[in-house]
Each structure stands twice: as C-alpha cells, then as structure tokens.
Amino acid sequence: MTTFEDERSDAADPAQPHTPDAGRPAPDEAKLTLAEVLEIFAGSRLPLRITAYDGSTAGPVDAPFGLDLKTPRGTTYLATGMGDLGLARAYVAGDLDIHGVHPGDPYELLKALAESLEFHRPPVKQMARIVRSIGIEHLRPIAPPPQEVPPRWRRIAGGLRHSKSRDAEAIHHHYDVSNTFYEWVLGPSMTYTCACYPHGEASLEEAQENKYRLIFEKLRLQPGDRLLDVGCGWGGMVRYAARRGVRAIGVTLSREQTDWARQAIQDEGLGDLAEVRFSDYRDVAEGSFDAVSSIGLLEHIGVRNYASYFRFLQSRLRPGGMLLNHCITRSDNRTEPSARGFIDRYVFPDGELTGSGRIITEAQDAGLEVLHEENLRPHYALTLRDWCANLVEHWDDAVAEVGLPAAKVWGLYMAGSRLAFETGGIQLHHVLAVKPHEDGRHDLPLRPWWAA
C-alpha cells in the first residue's frame, strides 16, 4: 500500500556517533500524515472523524460523521480540484467514503462541515512541507470521473455559450438522465422546481399543486385563455392549466421530458387543450398569448442573454398579457453570475445565477411593467429536503437505474443546495409583470388578487 510515511535508511554513518535520531529530519521538516494535512487545512477544527489509507486518523473518536480517504487517486483529486470540485471528484469516483449519513441525503454531514470548518491557505513554508509530504506526483491533474463535463473553456467546440446547440447539450446532460429516476426523486407530480408549502406539515405533492395554483392565479388565467410555458419540464404547468380549460403550449429541450409529458397529456385526455413541444423557446412562432410562465428556465439562459429573453417573451404576449418568471437567484446583484466547480461540471453546465434586482431591471427594460416580486427561499429548502427523502427511499432502485456515481451526484447536489437555501446563499424569486397597452393601461385590480 502506498503511504506517506518517511522512507529512512538503516545504514549508519561510521564517521558519526550513532544515535536513535541520527539522519532524521528536524521535527518541523518531518513528513505529515494525511490526517495532519487535513487538520492544517481545516484549521484543526474537524467536526468529524477522518481516516486515511496511510493509517492516520484525525477528529473526535465519537464524532457522528466520518470521511474515509481510500486511495492515492483520491489524494490527487483533493489536491488538484479547486474549491468543492476535488471533494466531489473523490467522492463520486469512490475514492472518498462518507459515514454517519445516507449517500442519498448527506445534508447533516454538509451542515456540520459548513458550521465548523474554517478552511485557510497555510503559510508558504508550511505549504512546502505539505507538498513534500503528499508528493509532487499528487499535484499533477488526472482525468476526472466520467460523470464530469469539460470545463467551460473546452465546451466551445459544442457551440458558443447559450447558442441553441450548446443549450440543447446542457439540457440533455441534466434532464435526460432517466424519467424513471426522476419519478423516484420528484414523486408523482414530476415537478423539478421549487414547491410552495401552504403549511409546515404539507406533503411534497400538496406543495407542488399549490405552486401551480399560485402561478395560475397570479397570471389571472381563465377558461379559453392561451398560455405559453417555456422550459416546461414534464408538463406540470401545462397540464394544470389545461385541466382548467386553458389552451397551453409547453416547450422543452429535453427529449425525455417531451416524451413523458406527451404520454401524460394523452393519459389525462387533455390533447385538445395541451401540447408539449421538443423545441427551443426561441423557436415559438405564435404570439398574442394571454400569459407566459417561465418556471426554472432563466437559470439556463445566461445573464448576458436576459435582455433578448425578456424581449422575446414580451413579444409573445398580447397587450395586457402577463408574465410570471420563477427562478433561483443569488442574494445580491454584485456577485459574478457564472456557476463554477461542482455544480457547473456535474449538475447544470453553463448555468448562471444573479440577483432579483438584475432580473427586474431587464424585464422593465424590455417593456414589461413589474407588478409584484416575492422570495420563496424557505420553500426550496423544504422541497430539496423532500426530494432527498425520496432518493433515500428509492436508493437501491436509483443506483440500479443510473449507477452509483450519478446517484451520489444527486444526493450531494440536493443536500448541498438545501443548505444553501437555508442559509440564504441562494434564493427563489417570483417576478410578476404585465405587458401594458400602448396607452399604459393594464386593466388589473388595484391590489393582489391571488391567495397567498
């Protein structure tokens, strides 16, 4: 087994008196164990038990959670991956095991790490000692797990960022995993966006139905109206509206979603009112819709494309028509919008987030009048909690369907996202807007007309 232990010679120098410490490096120059290296980077505040393949350990013996670094390849992933990317690579590849939590929901472990660890860069001298200890060979990047997509600068071969072809590839990567897998994770609603919980004890299905109800009411939809749902997923909003007499068209770049949604429309007998197309939203030719809903699409658009996105949606509305934009946001409008690291490579390639202020600005500049905005951040934490519970319940089936590495990615991503929503790092905003008539009228009630 490869270890980081010192390699010492048993030969003695006859010119020097022999002592037990002769020839050994000074204590501050001795090689560090893996556990000692991890302690240095964690600021000696490990909230869990660490074990490593060199036999070293760190952290409380009775800690409820643990990490087990199993291979030299895992060390290379940790040493060469920026931020959370190295940890994700080692975990997904099977070089790092977790203990005390289920891989379908490692939330409690991630929470303990977030609350206790204070990662910092060691001084130059100490960093040099760390490099000597782990070996220079572990600082040479190696091929990542096959589940990882190339970095952004290498995706140019697939088309310019947010071109139609490259967007189609990004959507395919995330949404065409397996409809069966999504059924286990999302539940009967097959809704992969933030739910809206009417009360603390509501089930996931109740909350998703309530979300569609809220959007339907905000858009003031009535029987006979026409709705365009961009980025429609498995057609949840389309079918909800069609059941209430609204003619609804949904578009998605996922072939798997399209097939599933069309079958669901047929099974419910909604074919006269509901349609789901395998299409880019920019290819919708019809206009004069009474309402447009965009539920979880803006994250994939790219911040630089917000202006053209809102102009296009505005052009598809009749005067007096309404738009509801539902999307994940950052907690400020200053942070760089690009996604990086684990999320960009394993979950949402080319995804970008920004603050709600930027979204409102772009909608206004496109000729839409913003009427109302609200933040559903706590609801997304609850949604992710329930998705993780579903994944845990169906873990063996999920692993058989998509493989252990992909199932690990989903557990890690959903649990980490839950923590981010709970702590306010990311949020979920509804922005409701109207396309005014030429004279500025919009014929809407003076106060909000929907039930909270």
Side-chain angles (χ1 to χ4, degrees):
M1 176 181 290
T2 302
T3 71
F4 292 152
E5 296 297 324
D6 291 340
E7 297 179 1
R8 300 186 179 98
S9 172
D10 292 330
D13 183 349
Q16 299 292 335
H18 179 73
T19 65
D21 293 327
R24 294 185 181 182
D28 64 338
E29 295 178 353
K31 289 185 177 180
L32 300 163
T33 67
L34 285 171
E36 289 171 331
V37 171
L38 292 170
E39 279 192 303
I40 289 172
F41 281 99
S44 301
R45 295 184 59 193
L46 290 172
L48 67 168
R49 185 68 170 170
I50 300 257
T51 58
Y53 60 86
D54 67 348
S56 62
T57 62
V61 175
D62 59 350
F65 313 116
L67 296 177
D68 180 18
L69 182 58
K70 300 170 64 178
T71 68
R73 183 177 66 177
T75 299
T76 302
Y77 280 144
L78 291 174
T80 58
M82 298 294 291
D84 57 5
L85 188 57
L87 180 68
R89 285 172 172 167
Y91 176 60
V92 171
D95 302 305
L96 181 72
D97 278 350
I98 61 175
H99 304 287
V101 291
H102 194 284
D105 186 11
Y107 165 79
E108 293 295 342
L109 186 150
L110 297 178
K111 183 179 179 182
L113 288 172
E115 290 176 348
S116 302
L117 294 188
E118 295 180 356
F119 288 99
H120 67 284
R121 180 176 294 277
V124 173
K125 184 177 180 180
Q126 194 173 40
M127 195 68 198
R129 186 183 175 201
I130 290 171
V131 170
R132 288 197 303 272
S133 299
I134 67 173
I136 194 69
E137 67 275 11
H138 290 295
L139 300 182
R140 300 187 184 100
I142 58 176
Q147 290 73 28
E148 182 174 320
V149 300
R152 287 188 173 212
W153 63 270
R154 287 183 57 194
R155 294 176 214 161
I156 195 69
L160 294 174
R161 192 183 306 173
H162 300 299
S163 65
K164 289 181 180 180
S165 61
R166 182 156 153 176
D167 279 352
E169 284 299 314
I171 294 301
H172 169 74
H173 172 83
H174 189 75
Y175 294 98
D176 289 341
V177 176
S178 159
N179 282 335
T180 301
F181 175 79
Y182 276 108
E183 286 172 352
W184 286 325
V185 174
L186 304 181
S189 74
M190 281 295 274
T191 299
Y192 187 37
T193 48
C194 175
C196 183
Y197 288 72
H199 55 82
E201 303 305 315
S203 69
L204 175 62
E205 291 307 303
E206 289 178 89
Q208 292 293 13
E209 181 78 1
N210 186 52
K211 183 264 297 294
Y212 288 132
R213 188 273 313 165
L214 178 62
I215 294 173
F216 189 90
E217 290 185 6
K218 283 183 174 182
L219 291 173
R220 302 189 77 218
L221 288 164
Q222 301 294 326
D225 283 350
R226 297 173 64 242
L227 168 70
L228 172 62
D229 185 37
V230 294
C232 68
W234 289 270
M237 186 67 205
V238 169
R239 287 179 288 118
Y240 184 95
R243 293 186 206 114
R244 289 153 182 81
V246 172
R247 295 185 174 276
I249 295 174
V251 292
T252 174
L253 283 171
S254 166
R255 174 61 73 185
E256 295 265 354
Q257 289 180 335
T258 303
D259 293 343
W260 193 99
R262 287 174 175 172
Q263 186 62 53
I265 288 169
Q266 179 180 324
D267 292 345
E268 290 191 47
L270 298 172
D272 291 341
L273 292 171
E275 177 188 357
V276 168
R277 300 174 182 172
F278 177 57
S279 170
D280 192 289
Y281 78 94
R282 291 164 283 194
D283 293 330
V284 174
E286 297 93 330
S288 297
F289 287 95
D290 298 286
V292 173
S293 53
S294 177
I295 309 172
L297 175 62
L298 193 64
E299 299 92 330
H300 300 288
I301 294 297
V303 175
R304 292 183 179 179
N305 298 316
Y306 281 10
S308 59
Y309 163 83
F310 281 112
R311 284 197 304 269
F312 181 86
L313 298 187
Q314 192 264 12
S315 73
R316 292 301 175 265
L317 287 168
R318 65 165 175 81
M322 304 191 70
L323 166 69
L324 188 287
N325 193 90
H326 162 129
C327 73
I328 302 170
T329 66
R330 294 193 182 276
S331 57
D332 62 71
N333 297 285
R334 301 182 304 273
T335 307
E336 169 65 35
S338 297
R340 292 189 176 91
F342 168 67
I343 291 292
D344 185 57
R345 301 284 189 91
Y346 285 87
V347 185
F348 291 115
D350 290 345
E352 293 181 2
L353 303 179
T354 189
S356 59
R358 177 72 178 271
I359 294 168
I360 290 172
T361 296
E362 298 287 1
Q364 291 172 328
D365 289 348
L368 294 161
E369 181 176 347
V370 174
L371 303 168
H372 186 267
E373 176 276 335
E374 67 173 311
N375 184 3
L376 300 178
R377 174 174 68 84
H379 295 264
Y380 219 153
L382 296 175
T383 305
L384 287 154
R385 175 202 64 186
D386 290 346
W387 287 343
C388 280
N390 285 344
L391 180 56
V392 170
E393 180 181 354
H394 298 283
W395 180 255
D396 291 341
D397 290 330
V399 170
E401 179 70 15
V402 301
L404 180 59
K408 283 182 174 181
V409 166
W410 277 81
L412 184 62
Y413 133 67
M414 292 194 299
S417 296
R418 174 187 172 186
L419 185 62
F421 278 107
E422 285 182 345
T423 57
I426 48 178
Q427 304 175 352
L428 188 288
H429 283 264
H430 273 194
V431 174
L432 180 65
V434 64
K435 177 179 179 177
H437 293 269
E438 289 188 5
D439 60 4
R441 293 181 299 107
H442 51 53
D443 303 321
L444 295 173
L446 294 176
R447 298 294 298 158
W449 50 86
W450 58 88

